[in-house]
CSV table of all heavy atoms in Angstrom, one decimal:
chain,number,residue,atom,x,y,z
F,75,ILE,N,-202.0,-33.7,117.5
F,75,ILE,CA,-201.1,-32.9,118.3
F,75,ILE,C,-200.2,-34.0,118.9
F,75,ILE,O,-200.6,-34.9,119.7
F,75,ILE,CB,-201.7,-32.1,119.4
F,75,ILE,CG1,-202.6,-31.0,118.7
F,75,ILE,CG2,-200.6,-31.5,120.2
F,75,ILE,CD1,-203.3,-30.2,119.8
F,76,PHE,N,-199.0,-34.2,118.3
F,76,PHE,CA,-198.1,-35.3,118.7
F,76,PHE,C,-197.0,-34.8,119.6
F,76,PHE,O,-196.3,-35.7,120.2
F,76,PHE,CB,-197.4,-35.9,117.5
F,76,PHE,CG,-198.4,-36.9,116.8
F,76,PHE,CD1,-199.7,-36.7,116.8
F,76,PHE,CD2,-197.9,-38.0,116.1
F,76,PHE,CE1,-200.7,-37.5,116.2
F,76,PHE,CE2,-198.7,-38.8,115.4
F,76,PHE,CZ,-200.1,-38.6,115.5
F,77,ALA,N,-196.8,-33.5,119.8
F,77,ALA,CA,-195.8,-33.0,120.8
F,77,ALA,C,-194.4,-33.5,120.6
F,77,ALA,O,-193.6,-33.9,121.5
F,77,ALA,CB,-196.2,-33.3,122.3
F,78,GLY,N,-194.0,-33.6,119.3
F,78,GLY,CA,-192.6,-34.0,118.9
F,78,GLY,C,-192.4,-35.5,118.9
F,78,GLY,O,-191.3,-35.9,118.5
F,79,LYS,N,-193.4,-36.3,119.2
F,79,LYS,CA,-193.2,-37.7,119.1
F,79,LYS,C,-193.6,-38.2,117.7
F,79,LYS,O,-194.8,-38.1,117.3
F,79,LYS,CB,-194.0,-38.5,120.2
F,79,LYS,CG,-193.6,-38.1,121.5
F,79,LYS,CD,-192.2,-38.7,121.8
F,79,LYS,CE,-191.8,-38.5,123.2
F,79,LYS,NZ,-190.4,-38.9,123.5
F,80,HIS,N,-192.7,-38.9,117.0
F,80,HIS,CA,-193.0,-39.3,115.6
F,80,HIS,C,-192.4,-40.7,115.4
F,80,HIS,O,-191.8,-41.3,116.3
F,80,HIS,CB,-192.4,-38.3,114.5
F,80,HIS,CG,-193.0,-36.9,114.7
F,80,HIS,ND1,-194.3,-36.7,114.4
F,80,HIS,CD2,-192.5,-35.8,115.2
F,80,HIS,CE1,-194.5,-35.3,114.6
F,80,HIS,NE2,-193.4,-34.8,115.0
F,81,ILE,N,-192.6,-41.2,114.2
F,81,ILE,CA,-192.1,-42.6,113.9
F,81,ILE,C,-190.6,-42.6,113.9
F,81,ILE,O,-189.9,-41.7,113.6
F,81,ILE,CB,-192.6,-43.0,112.5
F,81,ILE,CG1,-192.4,-44.5,112.3
F,81,ILE,CG2,-192.0,-42.2,111.4
F,81,ILE,CD1,-193.1,-45.1,111.1
F,82,GLN,N,-190.0,-43.7,114.5
F,82,GLN,CA,-188.6,-43.9,114.7
F,82,GLN,C,-188.2,-45.2,114.0
F,82,GLN,O,-189.0,-46.1,113.9
F,82,GLN,CB,-188.2,-43.9,116.2
F,82,GLN,CG,-188.4,-42.6,116.9
F,82,GLN,CD,-188.0,-42.6,118.3
F,82,GLN,OE1,-187.7,-43.7,118.8
F,82,GLN,NE2,-187.9,-41.5,119.0
F,83,PHE,N,-187.0,-45.2,113.5
F,83,PHE,CA,-186.5,-46.3,112.8
F,83,PHE,C,-185.2,-47.0,113.5
F,83,PHE,O,-184.5,-46.2,114.1
F,83,PHE,CB,-186.1,-46.0,111.4
F,83,PHE,CG,-187.3,-45.5,110.5
F,83,PHE,CD1,-187.5,-44.1,110.5
F,83,PHE,CD2,-188.2,-46.3,109.9
F,83,PHE,CE1,-188.6,-43.6,109.8
F,83,PHE,CE2,-189.2,-45.8,109.2
F,83,PHE,CZ,-189.5,-44.4,109.1
F,84,GLY,N,-185.1,-48.2,113.4
F,84,GLY,CA,-183.9,-48.9,114.0
F,84,GLY,C,-183.8,-50.3,113.5
F,84,GLY,O,-184.4,-50.7,112.4
F,85,ASN,N,-183.2,-51.2,114.3
F,85,ASN,CA,-182.9,-52.5,113.9
F,85,ASN,C,-183.4,-53.5,115.1
F,85,ASN,O,-183.2,-53.1,116.3
F,85,ASN,CB,-181.5,-52.8,113.6
F,85,ASN,CG,-180.9,-51.9,112.4
F,85,ASN,OD1,-181.6,-51.9,111.4
F,85,ASN,ND2,-179.8,-51.3,112.6
F,86,ASN,N,-183.8,-54.6,114.7
F,86,ASN,CA,-183.9,-55.8,115.6
F,86,ASN,C,-182.6,-56.6,115.5
F,86,ASN,O,-182.3,-57.0,114.4
F,86,ASN,CB,-185.1,-56.7,115.3
F,86,ASN,CG,-186.4,-56.1,115.8
F,86,ASN,OD1,-186.4,-55.3,116.8
F,86,ASN,ND2,-187.5,-56.4,115.2
F,87,VAL,N,-182.0,-56.8,116.6
F,87,VAL,CA,-180.7,-57.6,116.6
F,87,VAL,C,-180.9,-58.9,117.3
F,87,VAL,O,-181.4,-58.9,118.4
F,87,VAL,CB,-179.6,-56.8,117.4
F,87,VAL,CG1,-178.3,-57.5,117.3
F,87,VAL,CG2,-179.4,-55.4,116.8
F,88,SER,N,-180.6,-60.0,116.6
F,88,SER,CA,-180.8,-61.4,117.2
F,88,SER,C,-179.7,-61.6,118.2
F,88,SER,O,-178.7,-61.1,118.2
F,88,SER,CB,-180.7,-62.4,116.0
F,88,SER,OG,-179.4,-62.3,115.4
F,89,GLU,N,-180.1,-62.5,119.2
F,89,GLU,CA,-179.2,-62.7,120.3
F,89,GLU,C,-178.0,-63.6,119.9
F,89,GLU,O,-176.9,-63.3,120.4
F,89,GLU,CB,-180.0,-63.4,121.4
F,89,GLU,CG,-181.1,-62.6,122.0
F,89,GLU,CD,-181.8,-63.3,123.1
F,89,GLU,OE1,-181.4,-64.5,123.4
F,89,GLU,OE2,-182.8,-62.7,123.6
F,90,LYS,N,-178.1,-64.5,119.0
F,90,LYS,CA,-177.1,-65.5,118.7
F,90,LYS,C,-176.1,-64.9,117.7
F,90,LYS,O,-174.9,-64.7,117.9
F,90,LYS,CB,-177.6,-66.8,118.2
F,90,LYS,CG,-178.4,-67.5,119.4
F,90,LYS,CD,-178.8,-68.8,118.9
F,90,LYS,CE,-179.6,-69.6,120.1
F,90,LYS,NZ,-180.1,-70.9,119.6
F,91,GLY,N,-176.7,-64.7,116.5
F,91,GLY,CA,-175.8,-64.2,115.3
F,91,GLY,C,-175.6,-62.8,115.2
F,91,GLY,O,-174.7,-62.3,114.4
F,92,GLY,N,-176.4,-61.9,115.9
F,92,GLY,CA,-176.3,-60.5,115.8
F,92,GLY,C,-176.8,-60.0,114.5
F,92,GLY,O,-176.4,-58.9,114.0
F,93,ASN,N,-177.7,-60.8,113.8
F,93,ASN,CA,-178.3,-60.3,112.6
F,93,ASN,C,-179.3,-59.1,112.8
F,93,ASN,O,-180.1,-59.2,113.8
F,93,ASN,CB,-179.1,-61.5,111.9
F,93,ASN,CG,-178.1,-62.6,111.7
F,93,ASN,OD1,-177.0,-62.5,111.3
F,93,ASN,ND2,-178.7,-63.8,111.9
Side-chain angles (χ1 to χ4, degrees):
I75 299 175
F76 280 31
K79 295 296 181 181
H80 301 290
I81 191 168
Q82 296 179 349
F83 300 94
N85 297 316
N86 278 335
V87 183
S88 62
E89 295 181 359
K90 294 182 179 180
N93 300 321

